[in-house]
Amino acid sequence: MDIIDAQQYRRTFNVAMCGKSEPVTLIYYIWNANDKTNMTDYYLVKETVTLENSRLECGPTNEKKWYRDGTYGPFLYQFSTEHSFSNKTVKIEQVSPVNSTSGSSTYTHGFDWSLNSALTFSKDPSLGIGGGVSFSKSWSYDIPDLKMTHSQNGNAPKWEYTAGTRPTSHWGSPVKHTTAKPILRTDCTVSHSWIWKMPSASGTYSFTTDTYVRLQTLAYTVGFFKTNPYYNTKTGNSKQTFQLAPPPRYVQEWIMSYTPYSNDVQTTLEKQFPKYWTLAFDLPVVSINDRTMIDNRINTLINLLNNNRSVLYDKSINKLNISWKLLNSPDVYHSYEYKY
């Protein structure tokens, strides 16, 4: 069974310099599962960072011209993201990319992961519980003219990107500047992935992302038949904590019964509602007393019955008394009377 649902978290902040401002957007996709043999949570994280450098309107575009304050820019110089888990005993694995690069134009990262005995949520109730779960994905990104460095403080991965070549000034009459590399002045997207593994999981967890972006402008002083370039720097940063929704950690066994019962009615309803009309089924839940999944299933089935009244009537199904209960409980949890 594949993990098909991802939690999504989004954070946008702005970095400004010289009256220009660029949005920086971080998006996190998190797939989770629980190893039911040892109560270990797995959180598979993909981070995407987009910097809208085009909003900086880096200039002047004419290499012989400078702004009135004697500068050229602004342009991207450096940015970094670091991520920490709320429980320091968490383990980390499949961190990607981990190889530092300089001048590379393309890199690929991703997951190739599986568990033999797992619990995970699914939009399809017939796939709510599986003997195993797997997840395999990869993504590629172009980062020409950026140096990427990966580091890790325990279970907290960090990536830093720095301009490989910055624009500079050249002696002449007039003094000229080179043009910033395209990735420093146009929109740029990078991405990373990793897995947090939390043994003996209970309760809920969170993670914190710490991001900074450094913009620069180029300026210069004049020496003896030369220029001395220097850079003005503006740093913007954002620190945000996101709450993680836990994966299911327990299995509830349920029984549905109804009257009047007949084999013909049972066969008809199984064909009409194959994902919801089952007399015995298991549900994955976060806590042992959680009733969210069964409530959703009951409400969905009730809606299906009422939305297909004419179909059921044509098949001579006019009235049903339905009840649901836990397998090992004497008490009925919920009952419903369907009437045409």
Side-chain angles (χ1 to χ4, degrees):
M1 177 177 62
D2 293 331
I3 302 178
I4 62 172
D5 293 329
Q7 305 169 51
Q8 292 189 31
Y9 305 87
R10 185 186 186 97
R11 165 70 173 162
T12 298
F13 67 99
N14 290 287
V15 184
M17 188 175 192
C18 301
K20 309 289 179 61
S21 178
E22 74 162 322
V24 179
T25 301
L26 299 97
I27 302 177
Y28 295 92
Y29 303 89
I30 301 179
W31 298 264
N32 62 26
N34 178 269
D35 187 340
K36 60 184 180 181
T37 61
N38 56 20
M39 287 300 291
T40 296
D41 280 358
Y42 288 83
Y43 299 90
L44 290 70
V45 184
K46 179 198 176 188
E47 173 197 42
T48 299
V49 184
T50 299
L51 302 97
E52 297 184 45
N53 300 323
S54 60
R55 300 282 193 94
L56 298 173
E57 299 177 340
C58 179
T61 55
N62 187 329
E63 64 182 12
K64 298 179 181 180
K65 295 185 179 296
W66 300 75
Y67 285 123
R68 290 183 179 180
D69 62 355
T71 63
Y72 165 78
F75 49 85
L76 173 67
Y77 166 59
Q78 188 179 64
F79 65 97
S80 171
T81 61
E82 185 173 11
H83 318 85
S84 58
F85 198 81
S86 57
N87 189 307
K88 302 308 177 185
T89 64
V90 73
K91 311 296 182 183
I92 192 168
E93 55 189 41
Q94 293 202 29
V95 181
S96 180
V98 294
N99 296 323
S100 297
T101 63
S102 180
S104 175
S105 60
T106 303
Y107 72 92
T108 299
H109 72 97
F111 301 110
D112 187 8
W113 174 86
S114 64
L115 282 177
N116 291 328
S117 181
L119 298 177
T120 186
F121 287 125
S122 169
K123 291 180 180 178
D124 185 342
S126 65
L127 297 177
I129 296 176
V133 65
S134 61
F135 189 81
S136 182
K137 264 187 185 303
S138 64
W139 302 272
S140 295
Y141 292 86
D142 292 325
I143 53 166
D145 304 306
L146 281 182
K147 177 183 178 182
M148 177 181 66
T149 303
H150 164 262
S151 60
Q152 201 164 293
N153 181 13
N155 51 38
K158 177 181 179 180
W159 287 268
E160 183 177 76
Y161 296 81
T162 305
T165 302
R166 290 182 287 181
T168 189
S169 60
H170 292 287
W171 172 257
S173 182
V175 173
K176 298 179 181 179
H177 62 75
T178 58
T179 300
K181 297 290 187 180
I183 201 167
L184 306 183
R185 52 187 170 84
T186 59
D187 296 353
C188 166
T189 298
V190 299
S191 182
H192 322 106
S193 56
W194 64 95
I195 299 174
W196 274 316
K197 175 182 175 181
M198 187 65 226
S200 303
S202 64
T204 58
Y205 303 102
S206 64
F207 73 97
T208 299
T209 176
D210 195 353
T211 307
Y212 74 78
V213 177
R214 292 191 176 119
L215 307 179
Q216 286 189 336
T217 58
L218 166 67
Y220 68 93
T221 59
V222 177
F224 185 69
F225 289 101
K226 68 176 183 178
T227 63
N228 300 305
Y230 66 92
Y231 300 90
N232 304 303
T233 303
K234 180 65 179 292
T235 302
N237 65 284
S238 172
K239 192 171 186 177
Q240 181 78 28
T241 297
F242 301 96
Q243 295 297 319
L244 288 166
R249 296 172 180 147
Y250 300 91
V251 176
Q252 293 175 347
E253 298 174 291
W254 288 89
I255 292 176
M256 182 181 74
S257 60
Y258 65 95
T259 57
Y261 176 87
S262 77
N263 290 332
D264 290 342
V265 169
Q266 180 64 18
T267 300
T268 297
L269 293 174
E270 284 178 342
K271 290 181 179 179
Q272 187 69 31
F273 313 118
K275 296 179 181 179
Y276 292 93
W277 195 269
T278 51
L279 300 185
F281 54 91
D282 295 338
L283 291 178
V285 292
V286 174
S287 61
I288 197 66
N289 295 316
D290 187 359
R291 297 293 183 262
T292 304
M293 293 295 289
I294 186 62
D295 289 344
N296 290 341
R297 186 184 180 98
I298 291 171
N299 290 334
T300 300
L301 180 55
I302 290 173
N303 288 333
L304 287 171
L305 291 169
N306 287 309
N307 290 336
N308 290 271
R309 297 167 70 85
S310 59
V311 175
L312 298 181
Y313 179 79
D314 291 342
K315 298 180 182 298
S316 301
I317 300 175
N318 302 318
K319 182 178 179 180
L320 294 169
N321 292 301
I322 313 169
S323 63
W324 293 263
K325 65 182 287 294
L326 284 166
L327 175 63
N328 295 319
S329 173
D331 301 322
V332 171
Y333 173 71
H334 188 84
S335 59
Y336 175 73
E337 184 181 47
Y338 167 80
K339 286 184 179 181
Y340 179 75

